[in-house]
Amino acid sequence: MSPILNLNTQNLNCGMGEEITMKKLEGMVCLPHRLLVSFPTRPEKTDRPIEKILNDISVKMSEAFGGVTQWDAEGCWVDSNKNLVCEPVKIFYSAFHCSSPAGLREVLATIKKAGKEAHQEALFVSADETAYIFSPRAATTFFVKEKKI
């Protein structure tokens, strides 16, 4: 009797000095890396229309990772007065098997620039299994696979 799923293994060099083994199911490809960005859709002040800022994130993630899925959500936190504050956000999500350091560098630079243009104090980004909150105005340094970007 043959197995229900046919598992094949294929090695890929992703250009970051690493070789990733992808498990293939018939007609499917494993995408082990993920990037999720939560970005406010109604900031109080922006340097240009928010639609253009959000579009820049979509375009850059699509170019770097082959596509992006996005949906509307709500982001909440407790402020210094212990009040719950919620605001509408757009979630951008990409899954991918590899990306060039330059492509990832451009995505992160676009997110940081968007945060500055929307006058955000902090942004939420999740890469693979780790979540980050960072100030787009601070001298944030991102590292990807031992490479400073």
Side-chain angles (χ1 to χ4, degrees), residues 71-120:
W71 63 92
D72 295 322
E74 191 171 59
C76 302
W77 66 94
V78 176
D79 69 11
S80 59
N81 295 320
K82 304 214 185 288
N83 296 314
L84 181 66
V85 178
C86 295
E87 67 179 345
V89 297
K90 184 166 293 286
I91 305 296
F92 299 88
Y93 180 82
S94 289
F96 52 98
H97 58 81
C98 58
S99 175
S100 70
L104 199 44
R105 192 175 10 260
E106 288 176 15
V107 168
L108 295 171
T110 298
I111 293 166
K112 189 169 183 171
K113 178 183 175 203
K116 287 179 184 177
E117 291 179 326
H119 299 268
Q120 294 301 294

Side-chain angles (χ1 to χ4, degrees), residues 3-149:
I4 295 173
L5 297 175
N6 180 12
L7 228 56
N8 295 316
T9 302
Q10 176 182 358
N11 291 328
L12 293 177
N13 185 328
C14 291
M16 292 186 283
E18 69 176 10
E19 195 172 272
I20 294 176
T21 300
M22 292 175 45
K23 292 181 183 169
K24 257 182 147 181
L25 302 179
E26 192 172 322
M28 299 171 68
V29 176
C30 174
L31 302 171
H33 300 291
R34 293 161 305 288
L35 183 70
L36 181 142
V37 178
S38 174
F39 202 91
T41 58
R42 291 190 213 145
E44 292 178 13
K45 180 181 177 187
T46 61
D47 294 345
R48 41 186 200 124
I50 191 63
E51 296 78 17
K52 292 185 184 235
I53 294 171
L54 297 172
N55 185 67
D56 286 352
I57 296 170
S58 292
V59 168
K60 198 53 71 180
M61 287 180 74
S62 293
E63 288 173 351
F65 308 131
V68 64
T69 299
Q70 53 192 44
W71 63 92
D72 295 322
E74 191 171 59
C76 302
W77 66 94
V78 176
D79 69 11
S80 59
N81 295 320
K82 304 214 185 288
N83 296 314
L84 181 66
V85 178
C86 295
E87 67 179 345
V89 297
K90 184 166 293 286
I91 305 296
F92 299 88
Y93 180 82
S94 289
F96 52 98
H97 58 81
C98 58
S99 175
S100 70
L104 199 44
R105 192 175 10 260
E106 288 176 15
V107 168
L108 295 171
T110 298
I111 293 166
K112 189 169 183 171
K113 178 183 175 203
K116 287 179 184 177
E117 291 179 326
H119 299 268
Q120 294 301 294
E121 289 182 34
L123 293 174
F124 176 84
V125 175
S126 179
D128 292 337
E129 302 298 324
T130 305
Y132 304 90
I133 296 175
F134 72 96
S135 168
R137 299 200 180 287
T140 306
T141 301
F142 297 100
F143 291 88
V144 177
K145 301 293 180 195
E146 315 296 324
K147 294 188 183 222
K148 188 175 179 178
I149 62 172

